[in-house]
Amino acid sequence: MIAGLYIDGTSPLHRAGAGIKILAMIALGTGVFLIPDWPVVTVILTTVLVFYPLCGFGPSVIWAQVKPIFWLLLIFFAVQLWLNDWQAGLLVIARVAAIVLFASLVTLTTKTSAMLASLERAMGPLRPLGVNPEKVSLAISMVLRFIPVIATVASEIRDAQRARGLDKSILAMVVPLLIRTLKMADDVADAIEARSFDPDETAS
Amino acid sequence: MIRFENVSVQFDQRRVLHDISLTLTEKRIAVVGANGSGKSTFVRLLNGLQTATSGTVTVDDFNPAKDGRKLRRHVGFVFQNPDNQIVYPVVEEDLAFGLKALKLPKDEVHRRIDEILARYDLTDFKTHPSHLLSGGQKQLLAISGVLVMNPRYVIFDEPTTLLDLRNRNRVERAIAKLDQTVITVSHDLDLIADYDRVLVFDQGKIALDDTPANALPKYREMMA
């Protein structure tokens, strides 16, 4: 699940600042697409792969990052094979894999809080335009936090409706999910208030 | 000291609390009553989550209606469902969330987090995703998130309802060891059997106000 990607460690990449890692990710993504060149892509992909064991991650962690996009990579390859040739297909796969593996490496070695703190700093200059970085940061953290919670609620509702023989009814799934999610949103808002969150105060 | 003076709360046309006047000075106070009797509204008044339609609530020197934000650092609130209270995806990040408002030095933030994790045997879960904790661990994390702020009072709104017996007992022990004044709303009468004072709510009024030994048998009769 998305919220559980960070793996604790003490490697140099774990210790590096979140802002630097995010900038490196943007630079790598842009570079790989601006220079569609075999030697460049090979060096970048190899470097990214070498970083995994340096950060204490084995082949299973690498595979876990590639697995969700494996079929997508095959489709990219097939399209390139059809439109161009197999070398072009391999180049596209290598470019996408390099970006995904580096993005995953950043997520695996960076705590959500550090990532959000960098985001808050980056959004600081937007404050005069009415953007509140603390609120944006809280909203993102809550998306990450509540994806698994809502998935659990959906699973409970699916089981309950299946027990009633309503497993084919979309309405029987969507309506209770919506109601419970809205109720949960009310409760979470209360809890955040009870925990003294004040975006204006934390900003000062 | 908590003082209620002629406090009433009304939602639209429905009066939820009727003219409550009392003073609370005990260390362990329980609030019981049927669903919809007004007990949750009563405790929500204590940290400003709810404001009185009429009358005055005072918690030490704070007026919840005016000093809401300051008061919420003074009065912690633990909700029934920890999943709705844990805001950040990783355990230590969630504990740091409330501390952000206190603007403490980083070292102090880390010290408080480590101390509270050790107190509830959650140290090994410091960097774990919060959604992967067990129900009992989540409730202890929710409690930790409140206690890390060092509040003077802690309100528990049905803290054991969603827990199995083992985790219920863990939470009971955790509450029993607290130095703070505790106000617990609960249907779990065993949880509050050793408390100093029990308030029984019925249709927005305090029907009984006594020690557990006197109030709970009468409450059981009322609910029979």
Side-chain angles (χ1 to χ4, degrees), chain A residues 4 8 111-113 120 138 141-142 145-146 148 184 187-188 190-191 193-198 201 204, chain B residues 44 49 69 72-73 79 83-89 92-94 97 100-101 103 127 129-131 149:
Chain A
D8 206 17
K111 289 176 185 170
T112 325
S113 55
E120 277 181 30
L138 178 65
S141 81
M142 285 177 62
R145 161 75 185 104
F146 284 97
M184 193 196 299
D187 293 342
V188 171
D190 272 352
E193 208 177 334
R195 293 183 70 185
S196 314
F197 177 72
D198 181 356
E201 204 169 278
S204 60
Chain B
R44 286 166 66 92
L49 282 176
R69 288 202 194 284
R72 283 192 268 279
R73 290 171 203 171
F79 293 81
D83 263 331
N84 295 343
Q85 188 166 345
I86 299 166
V87 176
Y88 269 74
E92 65 172 329
E93 294 173 350
D94 189 71
F97 170 68
K100 210 174 173 183
K103 293 178 188 159
T127 56
S130 43
H131 74 278
M149 308 279 289

Side-chain angles (χ1 to χ4, degrees), chain A residues 42-150:
Chain A
T42 308
V43 167
I44 289 174
L45 183 59
T46 310
T47 310
V48 170
L49 285 170
V50 165
F51 262 108
Y52 272 78
L54 285 179
C55 294
F57 306 137
S60 62
V61 176
I62 297 175
W63 173 238
Q65 313 313 313
V66 178
K67 198 178 161 190
I69 57 156
F70 183 73
W71 289 105
L72 200 65
L73 292 177
L74 280 186
I75 290 168
F76 285 164
F77 180 77
V79 170
Q80 287 300 321
L81 194 63
W82 182 46
L83 294 174
N84 296 303
D85 51 32
W86 66 270
Q87 288 98 331
L90 271 186
L91 186 62
V92 166
I93 286 183
R95 289 156 79 190
V96 174
I99 292 169
V100 168
L101 283 169
F102 190 69
S104 299
L105 197 58
V106 170
T107 320
L108 287 163
T109 57
T110 316
K111 289 176 185 170
T112 325
S113 55
M115 200 100 78
L116 292 175
S118 295
L119 190 71
E120 277 181 30
R121 278 196 298 276
M123 282 191 299
L126 299 176
R127 220 181 272 280
L129 301 173
V131 176
N132 185 325
E134 285 74 24
K135 280 188 184 170
V136 176
S137 151
L138 178 65
I140 294 171
S141 81
M142 285 177 62
V143 168
L144 295 173
R145 161 75 185 104
F146 284 97
I147 286 171
V149 177
I150 292 172

